[in-house]
Amino acid sequence: MSTTRADWIARFDAHLAGERRCSDHTRSGYGRDLRRWDELADEFGFAADELDLPRDAIRAMVSRLHRQGLGGRSLQRWLAAVRGLYRFLLREEIVSANPADGVRAPKTRRKLPSALDPDEIERLLAIPADTPIAVRDRAMLELFYSSGLRLAELDALDWDDIDRGERLVRVAGKGSKTRVLPIGRPAMAALESWRDTQQAWCSRQEGPAIFTSRTGKRLSVRSIQSRVEHWARQQGLWKRVHPHLLRHSFATHLLESSGQLRAVQELLGHADLGTTQIYTHLDFQHLAETYDRAHPRARRRRKD
């Protein structure tokens, strides 16, 4: 019995898990996109074990998905999954070419990330630490904003990842790439307070996780998202506040004050500088005021 496309998708998933060490979230996305590729190949009349598809077939698939309402970014992700599978098939000497190479998705206008302004950040972080949950949640929010962490990165943190003396945190980012980030003084103080509270509050500590429930279990990413949303409402921020918005705010505020794009790239863990450049959307009024104050030719001369 010949090996089908579905069989190779399963082998590719094992490759992503074992050799590439991709996260469950990444593998799930690849799997979903590749199953849709397999379904389209069936619809286009290719046999279940046919893998050497022509480039025109991939282009036709992109066109059909676009007509069905898939946007440019989703199509780019779909193409990335197909290219990744074919690179694996080429390595295994199953196909002779990668038909997804050179196929482009329709361009989508890049949406600039929103960010909280400094006053909104101050209001959000002014949580009255009068309960153990509030102490924990304040430490989470402070750390999100202080170090620009992704949700999954914060959720995975253990106490061993914190260097309390140097005020540093070690995080495992995308692709298992490790980076070490500074922790601001307010965030470090909030973490110290939570550490003391956790030891007295938790009925038992099941592991080394930093952010836990009362039973000592590591909080889920959904629970963390829910707590961020709760405190945004509680503190009177009537907009959608989520962990990634705090990361956006961290990057935007750091760039506004420093202008050091490369440094912010390193702190965010971006492989591509272009990804970091979306945070350079500074407030033009602020820029104009800075220009008026600093540039010799911008200063208005007094009338005699």
Side-chain angles (χ1 to χ4, degrees):
M1 186 175 182
S2 58
T3 307
T4 65
R5 283 188 300 272
D7 294 329
W8 280 109
I9 291 172
R11 293 188 190 184
F12 181 56
D13 179 67
H15 162 72
L16 293 176
E19 293 185 43
R20 298 272 300 278
R21 298 177 65 189
C22 292
S23 68
D24 292 342
H25 177 73
T26 298
R27 289 169 52 210
S28 174
Y30 268 81
R32 183 171 56 251
D33 288 332
L34 290 173
R35 283 191 296 274
R36 186 68 187 110
W37 164 77
D38 185 29
E39 291 167 2
L40 284 168
D42 284 338
E43 292 172 17
F44 279 49
F46 294 100
D49 61 351
E50 203 167 349
L51 289 160
D52 259 320
L53 307 187
R55 186 166 296 164
D56 285 346
I58 303 299
R59 288 197 180 99
M61 290 177 184
V62 169
S63 296
R64 178 172 294 189
L65 290 170
H66 190 47
R67 287 197 302 273
Q68 291 173 351
L70 217 60
R73 292 187 69 176
S74 297
L75 286 168
Q76 287 169 11
R77 187 199 64 216
W78 182 86
L79 278 167
V82 176
R83 286 191 195 99
L85 172 65
Y86 270 98
R87 281 195 293 269
F88 174 69
L89 293 173
L90 281 167
R91 192 190 78 168
E92 299 296 307
E93 299 182 347
I94 302 301
V95 296
S96 57
N98 189 333
D101 279 347
V103 179
R104 296 183 180 275
K107 287 187 177 180
T108 300
R109 185 177 179 182
R110 180 172 250 180
K111 185 180 178 182
L112 293 175
S114 58
L116 297 175
D117 64 40
D119 288 340
E120 290 172 324
I121 287 288
E122 287 296 324
R123 193 190 316 169
L124 178 63
L125 297 180
I127 297 172
D130 51 7
T131 67
I133 290 177
V135 173
R136 179 199 67 196
D137 292 354
R138 183 169 184 171
M140 287 195 305
L141 291 167
E142 286 277 9
L143 191 55
F144 267 131
Y145 178 64
S146 168
S147 304
L149 301 184
R150 298 180 178 97
L151 173 58
E153 292 171 347
L154 182 131
D155 178 59
L157 285 179
D158 295 333
W159 283 113
D160 287 346
D161 295 321
I162 304 290
D163 185 330
R164 298 161 69 190
E166 298 294 328
R167 288 192 293 113
L168 298 171
V169 57
R170 182 181 66 251
V171 299
K174 289 185 176 181
S176 300
K177 293 180 180 177
T178 301
R179 66 191 193 282
V180 178
L181 304 168
I183 303 173
R185 292 185 187 279
M188 194 69 242
L191 281 168
E192 294 284 8
S193 180
W194 164 237
R195 186 180 178 90
D196 294 339
T197 302
Q198 183 189 45
Q199 293 172 352
W201 180 62
C202 291
S203 56
R204 62 193 180 97
Q205 186 73 16
E206 293 193 355
I210 294 180
F211 298 111
T212 61
S213 66
R214 175 127 195 208
T215 60
K217 291 183 179 179
R218 187 186 299 274
L219 289 181
S220 67
V221 294
R222 184 67 195 103
S223 294
I224 295 171
Q225 289 172 320
S226 177
R227 298 310 299 167
V228 173
E229 292 166 4
H230 165 80
W231 285 114
R233 292 191 302 269
Q234 192 75 13
Q235 298 299 95
L237 296 175
W238 301 110
K239 60 174 64 174
R240 183 171 174 265
V241 179
H242 49 88
H244 219 65
L245 183 63
L246 297 179
R247 179 170 158 89
H248 293 330
S249 304
F250 159 85
T252 300
H253 298 166
L254 199 57
L255 271 172
E256 285 179 352
S257 59
S258 71
Q260 300 296 315
L261 192 63
R262 289 283 183 186
V264 175
Q265 178 192 7
E266 291 295 322
L267 291 170
L268 291 172
H270 286 160
D272 180 9
L273 185 63
T275 307
T276 314
Q277 285 174 327
I278 65 173
Y279 293 100
T280 58
H281 65 295
L282 305 181
D283 179 68
F284 285 104
Q285 184 177 355
H286 168 72
L287 283 175
E289 290 171 356
T290 302
Y291 179 85
D292 286 341
R293 286 195 306 269
H295 199 285
R297 290 290 186 182
R299 296 172 189 159
R300 294 179 182 176
R301 295 181 180 180
R302 292 180 182 177
K303 292 182 180 179
D304 295 333

